[in-house]
């Protein structure tokens, strides 16, 4: 047999092996989490790596009724509103920075990107004072406003690169047909940018969904708290019932896993296309 054919088979086999190992490392912890959320305490301590002896679906119901349901709704509300605002503001800013020529454009872009260098921990106390001053402390807006502000630089960074890769001939034809700038943006640029919009939405949603520090400091009312802080409260309430705790963790992880599975093609297309031109 030809050596090149043998080498190709060995190379393909090695890639498949490494891909399988990587998939197991990613998928198995999720399966372990879901599986152990169905166990009793005794079953969890004695058989942590095996299937449940008795499948306790009631653990998930108990976790939901213990407060996860309320925290889940809060996280969905805050994440959806924040991501919508981020996409709206960042897409308009990226369109202007990638299509228009005006004085100070590069300086403005660098100013926006400088937000990536500001650690959220540094701004914790000033933001706390500002939220109290504006009267939105301990409300949903106390989380939405900082989340939007801190995620816009990253969103602009991604979307501007993608917009630069779009052909200008399409919008020039639209201008010749009498379209306004807003019509070009809403009816041409945004539909052509669905992959990067999906990528940006997924990445920002994941960051907001898992954020803990702001959710802990800026909200005092337990009825307004999101999933990360809610899980900490659940842990203190159910410190001896590990099955219910793990069920709560599985519920909190499910939305992001499902979102990535549903939009993985758009996610990969958006990131790969946006890296072509910067």
């Amino acid at each position: 047999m030809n050596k090149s054919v043998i080498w190709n088979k060995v190379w393909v086999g090695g890639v498949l092996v490494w891909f399988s190992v990587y998939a197991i490392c990613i998928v198995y912890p999720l399966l372990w989490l879901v599986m152990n959320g169905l166990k009793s305490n005794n079953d969890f301590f004695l058989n942590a790596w095996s299937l449940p002896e008795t499948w306790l679906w009631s653990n998930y119901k108990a976790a939901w009724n213990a407060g996860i349901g309320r925290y889940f709704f809060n996280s969905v509300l805050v994440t959806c509103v924040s991501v919508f605002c981020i996409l709206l503001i960042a897409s308009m800013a990226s369109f202007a920075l990638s299509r228009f020529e005006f004085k100070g454009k590069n300086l403005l872009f660098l100013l926006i990107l400088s937000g990536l260098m500001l650690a959220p921990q540094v701004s914790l106390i000033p933001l706390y004072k500002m939220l109290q001053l504006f009267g939105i402390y301990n409300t949903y807006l106390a989380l939405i406003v900082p989340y939007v502000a801190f995620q816009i630089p990253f969103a602009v960074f991604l979307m501007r690169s993608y917009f630069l890769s779009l052909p200008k001939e399409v919008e020039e034809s639209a201008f010749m047909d009498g379209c306004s700038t807003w019509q070009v943006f809403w009816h041409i640029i945004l539909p052509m940018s669905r992959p990067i919009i999906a990528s940006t939405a997924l990445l920002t949603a994941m960051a907001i969904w898992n954020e803990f520090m702001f959710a802990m400091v800026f909200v005092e009312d337990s009825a307004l708290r999101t999933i990360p802080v809610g899980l900490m409260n659940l842990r203190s309430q159910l410190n001896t019932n590990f099955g219910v705790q793990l069920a709560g963790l599985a519920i909190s992880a499910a939305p992001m896993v499902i979102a990535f599975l549903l939009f993985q093609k758009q996610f990969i297309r958006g990131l790969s296309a946006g890296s072509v031109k910067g």
Side-chain angles (χ1 to χ4, degrees), residues 111-139:
L111 183 63
I112 295 174
L113 289 187
S114 64
L116 293 172
M117 298 185 292
L118 180 63
Q121 294 84 353
V122 176
S123 61
L124 190 62
I125 296 177
L127 279 175
Y128 179 83
K129 296 293 185 180
M130 290 176 62
L131 294 175
Q132 286 187 323
L133 179 64
F134 293 141
I136 59 175
Y137 176 75
N138 197 32
T139 65

Side-chain angles (χ1 to χ4, degrees), residues 96-110:
L97 291 170
S98 62
R99 286 300 192 261
F100 301 150
E101 293 296 333
F102 54 90
K103 188 176 181 179
K105 183 180 77 168
N106 293 331
L107 180 61
L108 178 61
F109 179 56
L110 290 176

Side-chain angles (χ1 to χ4, degrees), residues 179-238:
C179 291
S180 65
T181 302
W182 281 105
Q183 288 174 325
V184 169
F185 174 69
W186 288 108
H187 299 294
I188 296 178
I189 297 297
L190 288 186
M192 293 175 63
S193 305
R194 288 176 182 172
I196 195 61
I197 291 175
S199 300
T200 306
L202 283 174
L203 291 174
T204 54
M206 183 176 63
I208 294 170
W209 185 269
N210 294 322
E211 199 282 327
F212 177 82
M213 184 180 63
F214 287 173
M216 181 67 183
V217 176
F218 296 156
V219 172
E220 290 182 357
D221 190 352
S222 61
L224 300 177
R225 286 178 173 168
T226 54
I227 280 283
V229 181
L231 288 173
M232 184 183 67
N233 292 342
L234 184 66
R235 180 175 177 273
S236 62
Q237 296 174 18
L238 305 168

Side-chain angles (χ1 to χ4, degrees), residues 71-87 120 140 142-152 154-155 200-216 225-229 252 255-256 260:
Y71 304 138
F72 187 90
F73 169 78
N74 293 337
S75 285
V76 170
L77 176 63
V78 170
T79 301
C80 290
V81 174
S82 299
V83 170
F84 175 80
C85 294
I86 291 166
L87 293 178
Y140 288 125
L143 298 179
I144 293 172
V145 173
Y147 289 162
V148 172
F150 275 96
Q151 292 298 323
I152 281 178
F154 178 67
T200 306
L202 283 174
L203 291 174
T204 54
M206 183 176 63
I208 294 170
W209 185 269
N210 294 322
E211 199 282 327
F212 177 82
M213 184 180 63
F214 287 173
M216 181 67 183
R225 286 178 173 168
T226 54
I227 280 283
V229 181
S252 68
M256 291 298 102
F260 270 98

Side-chain angles (χ1 to χ4, degrees), residues 156-166 195-196 199-200 203 266-278:
V156 170
F157 174 74
L158 289 179
M159 300 181 77
R160 175 184 172 274
S161 298
Y162 189 91
F163 286 178
L164 286 172
S165 67
L166 297 177
I196 195 61
S199 300
T200 306
L203 291 174
Q266 297 275 16
F267 177 74
I268 295 172
R269 284 179 55 197
L271 294 184
S272 60
S275 65
V276 174
K277 193 173 183 179

